Amino acid sequence: MKDGWGRKVFHLPKQHDLLDPGQLKRAFDELAIANLHELGYSESHITTCLKIYVGIFTCGISLFAQLYPVEYPDHHDVMIACIAGYFSLSATLHVFVVFFEKRSVLFPTQRVASRCCSKSNYRISLESELTRSSETLKLVLRAHGSGEASGTLRVDTALIVCNYIYEDGSLAHSKFTVLIHAMLMELEARFLELVR
């Protein structure tokens, strides 16, 4: 792995709590995103920034309602407007996360020119799911195409978490990297079939 100045960076393997599925999922997500970045897929942060701005604006509304300089009975209308604005923006953010973003970890990357067809480009999104009572991690890579290849392609796999973690709690980086690369190659092959 390289840092911002192109120097190689070596990290000692981090040990993870094998009984915490949230920590394991986060570790696999970060490793998958790092693999996609190494392959040239840069992440678009527009969605994340938009959610942060909506959250800050929502907090600003509640802060305004709390610090409004007039006593309560006199600013009853302002208080109702602030409460309505707070709940509507919070609900909008929640609906976006639950119904549109779903289990996306990388949503979506910036457009990348296809290696198989110069006239087509696409975006990659990554979804993952690891439930609390399961030891199966489900990964979905989606390619959102445009130009000649409009539409969405997907490659999904389910892996047993125990097969990608050593007994000391560190991840099997190279084994997981091979899996991500294989998923990307399959996605690229499907994209090539779609263009033809």
Side-chain angles (χ1 to χ4, degrees), residues 57-67 82 86:
F57 189 68
T58 304
C59 291
I61 288 173
S62 65
L63 190 63
F64 178 77
Q66 186 71 28
L67 300 177
C82 288
Y86 178 81

Tab-separated table of all heavy atoms in Angstrom, residues 57-67 82 86:
chain	number	residue	atom	x	y	z
A	57	PHE	N	-27.333	20.841	8.995
A	57	PHE	CA	-28.468	21.759	8.894
A	57	PHE	C	-29.569	21.366	9.879
A	57	PHE	O	-30.193	22.226	10.507
A	57	PHE	CB	-28.997	21.787	7.460
A	57	PHE	CG	-30.015	22.854	7.221
A	57	PHE	CD1	-29.665	24.193	7.250
A	57	PHE	CD2	-31.335	22.517	6.985
A	57	PHE	CE1	-30.614	25.186	7.038
A	57	PHE	CE2	-32.287	23.488	6.759
A	57	PHE	CZ	-31.922	24.832	6.800
A	58	THR	N	-29.792	20.066	10.043
A	58	THR	CA	-30.783	19.581	11.002
A	58	THR	C	-30.392	19.967	12.422
A	58	THR	O	-31.226	20.436	13.209
A	58	THR	CB	-30.932	18.052	10.883
A	58	THR	OG1	-31.272	17.720	9.549
A	58	THR	CG2	-31.997	17.524	11.823
A	59	CYS	N	-29.115	19.803	12.761
A	59	CYS	CA	-28.639	20.214	14.093
A	59	CYS	C	-28.732	21.725	14.256
A	59	CYS	O	-29.035	22.222	15.352
A	59	CYS	CB	-27.203	19.752	14.306
A	59	CYS	SG	-27.046	17.979	14.457
A	60	GLY	N	-28.492	22.468	13.182
A	60	GLY	CA	-28.620	23.924	13.236
A	60	GLY	C	-30.047	24.356	13.528
A	60	GLY	O	-30.277	25.324	14.273
A	61	ILE	N	-31.006	23.657	12.954
A	61	ILE	CA	-32.414	23.964	13.228
A	61	ILE	C	-32.730	23.744	14.699
A	61	ILE	O	-33.367	24.577	15.349
A	61	ILE	CB	-33.341	23.110	12.330
A	61	ILE	CG1	-33.279	23.604	10.892
A	61	ILE	CG2	-34.783	23.148	12.834
A	61	ILE	CD1	-34.036	22.723	9.917
A	62	SER	N	-32.267	22.626	15.252
A	62	SER	CA	-32.545	22.361	16.665
A	62	SER	C	-31.812	23.348	17.573
A	62	SER	O	-32.341	23.770	18.599
A	62	SER	CB	-32.178	20.924	17.016
A	62	SER	OG	-30.793	20.727	16.897
A	63	LEU	N	-30.605	23.748	17.187
A	63	LEU	CA	-29.867	24.740	17.971
A	63	LEU	C	-30.552	26.101	17.907
A	63	LEU	O	-30.649	26.812	18.917
A	63	LEU	CB	-28.431	24.828	17.440
A	63	LEU	CG	-27.441	25.623	18.265
A	63	LEU	CD1	-27.261	24.972	19.618
A	63	LEU	CD2	-26.113	25.702	17.551
A	64	PHE	N	-31.052	26.463	16.739
A	64	PHE	CA	-31.786	27.716	16.603
A	64	PHE	C	-33.023	27.721	17.492
A	64	PHE	O	-33.323	28.714	18.160
A	64	PHE	CB	-32.183	27.940	15.134
A	64	PHE	CG	-32.974	29.186	14.902
A	64	PHE	CD1	-32.353	30.424	14.874
A	64	PHE	CD2	-34.352	29.130	14.720
A	64	PHE	CE1	-33.089	31.576	14.663
A	64	PHE	CE2	-35.096	30.265	14.511
A	64	PHE	CZ	-34.465	31.507	14.480
A	65	ALA	N	-33.742	26.606	17.528
A	65	ALA	CA	-34.938	26.513	18.369
A	65	ALA	C	-34.579	26.632	19.845
A	65	ALA	O	-35.321	27.229	20.627
A	65	ALA	CB	-35.668	25.198	18.114
A	66	GLN	N	-33.431	26.091	20.223
A	66	GLN	CA	-33.016	26.130	21.623
A	66	GLN	C	-32.538	27.523	22.036
A	66	GLN	O	-32.796	27.963	23.146
A	66	GLN	CB	-31.887	25.111	21.843
A	66	GLN	CG	-31.465	24.951	23.266
A	66	GLN	CD	-32.517	24.249	24.091
A	66	GLN	OE1	-33.297	23.458	23.580
A	66	GLN	NE2	-32.549	24.546	25.375
A	67	LEU	N	-31.854	28.222	21.143
A	67	LEU	CA	-31.225	29.497	21.501
A	67	LEU	C	-31.979	30.725	20.999
A	67	LEU	O	-31.447	31.833	21.057
A	67	LEU	CB	-29.787	29.525	20.971
A	67	LEU	CG	-28.868	28.418	21.501
A	67	LEU	CD1	-27.511	28.509	20.843
A	67	LEU	CD2	-28.753	28.472	23.006
A	82	CYS	N	-39.476	24.919	13.721
A	82	CYS	CA	-38.196	24.242	13.935
A	82	CYS	C	-38.386	22.756	14.193
A	82	CYS	O	-37.622	21.920	13.675
A	82	CYS	CB	-37.450	24.888	15.106
A	82	CYS	SG	-36.791	26.519	14.736
A	86	TYR	N	-36.939	19.923	11.767
A	86	TYR	CA	-36.019	18.917	12.310
A	86	TYR	C	-36.505	17.508	11.985
A	86	TYR	O	-35.745	16.683	11.483
A	86	TYR	CB	-35.878	19.098	13.825
A	86	TYR	CG	-34.992	18.073	14.469
A	86	TYR	CD1	-33.615	18.210	14.437
A	86	TYR	CD2	-35.525	16.952	15.090
A	86	TYR	CE1	-32.791	17.263	15.012
A	86	TYR	CE2	-34.717	15.999	15.664
A	86	TYR	CZ	-33.353	16.157	15.628
A	86	TYR	OH	-32.539	15.219	16.190
